[in-house]
Amino acid sequence: ETGVTQSPTHLIKTRGQQVTLRCSSQSGHNTVSWYQQALGQGPQFIFQYYREEENGRGNFPPRFSGLQFPNYSSELNVNALELDDSALYLCASSLVGLGTYEQYFGPGTRLTVT
Amino acid sequence: TQLLEQSPQFLSIQEGENLTVYCNSSSVFSSLQWYRQEPGEGPVLLVTVVTGGEVKKLKRLTFQFGDARKDSSLHITAAQPGDTGLYLCAGEGTGRRALTFGSGTRLQVQP
């Protein structure tokens, strides 16, 4: 069974640029959620994708967008980067329909905006 | 908005000591999950509690879900340096579209 993978591991961008982060779900999982974790904080929910459609969104502006592909992999896109976007971005996959909603996280992408 | 408050924020103890971490909310959760996160890595799921009053044990770790499903605790017996890390509680709300995380408890166990 393959776990959740994310790429790249680290990324440095300049304010105003755009970035795309990628995630491959754990084998057999059909739902992907993205979280932002600022230094010293718990993860904050950005959005979730199920069957290639957005299935819920946290308190993040529209410049945060995403995609889910037929193989359940996913992308997080952030436009017009701001300094406050510097954080660890976590992808989590889960299998909707099994009862409890356990999510399994990837190692994250560390984004630094200068 | 559902919020989870964790306490304490930081804990530094000696090897062999016991400790308890608390996770409290005014909201009811369908389930509550505990994670441990190492620096530079994603959170790793430790346990999920679902039923009010439920107690689960994982070796030296004991997890309890409050009767009203609004709070939870994690108790570690005879802590070891390998227990060092960031402990996060996360609640599953209605609709199951997101986990609400606490801000975490950073535990350091000194040998």
Side-chain angles (χ1 to χ4, degrees):
Chain A
E1 187 175 88
T2 306
V4 178
T5 59
Q6 293 185 242
S7 63
T9 306
H10 297 89
L11 203 52
I12 299 175
K13 289 285 189 178
T14 303
R15 190 171 50 184
Q17 287 187 316
Q18 176 266 342
V19 69
T20 298
L21 310 182
R22 294 178 174 82
C23 170
S24 291
S25 302
Q26 182 166 314
S27 176
H29 285 182
N30 58 13
T31 302
V32 174
S33 302
W34 285 91
Y35 292 82
Q36 180 195 66
Q37 186 176 23
L39 204 59
Q41 299 294 319
Q44 298 291 314
F45 175 69
I46 302 175
F47 44 57
Q48 180 186 95
Y49 278 81
Y50 172 64
R51 292 185 175 178
E52 303 176 49
E53 292 192 1
E54 190 177 288
N55 188 42
R57 189 178 185 92
N59 189 26
F60 281 81
R63 59 189 184 85
F64 285 78
S65 63
L67 285 172
Q68 185 184 30
F69 300 99
N71 66 354
Y72 303 122
S73 65
S74 178
E75 288 183 355
L76 164 65
N77 299 289
V78 187
N79 293 322
L81 284 167
E82 301 177 359
L83 297 179
D84 284 348
D85 295 334
S86 295
L88 181 67
Y89 287 85
L90 296 163
C91 166
S93 73
S94 55
L95 180 58
V96 171
L98 270 189
T100 60
Y101 188 43
E102 296 182 344
Q103 298 195 27
Y104 295 86
F105 285 82
T109 293
R110 172 71 62 187
L111 172 65
T112 301
V113 182
T114 61
Chain B
T1 304
Q2 295 179 309
L3 295 173
L4 274 170
E5 294 185 359
Q6 276 188 249
S7 62
Q9 284 185 293
F10 301 97
L11 200 51
S12 180
I13 61 173
Q14 295 296 123
E15 183 176 0
E17 293 184 17
N18 302 331
L19 67 117
T20 301
V21 177
Y22 299 94
C23 180
N24 295 296
S25 177
S26 58
S27 302
V28 175
F29 291 98
S30 301
S31 71
L32 200 134
Q33 300 171 24
W34 285 91
Y35 293 83
R36 190 173 87 182
Q37 186 176 22
E38 304 285 349
E41 298 181 8
V44 175
L45 181 64
L46 296 174
V47 78
T48 300
V49 285
V50 180
T51 306
E54 183 177 4
V55 177
K56 281 192 174 179
K57 292 191 175 184
L58 185 65
K59 297 183 181 179
R60 295 176 293 99
L61 278 61
T62 302
F63 304 85
Q64 184 164 8
F65 203 10
D67 290 341
R69 291 186 289 133
K70 292 181 179 182
D71 54 82
S72 182
S73 63
L74 157 60
H75 182 80
I76 301 179
T77 303
Q80 299 177 2
D83 295 327
T84 293
L86 178 68
Y87 288 83
L88 294 159
C89 64
E92 171 196 346
T94 57
R96 299 180 177 178
R97 292 180 179 177
L99 289 177
T100 298
F101 278 85
S103 56
T105 294
R106 190 163 298 281
L107 171 65
Q108 185 168 23
V109 182
Q110 309 279 3

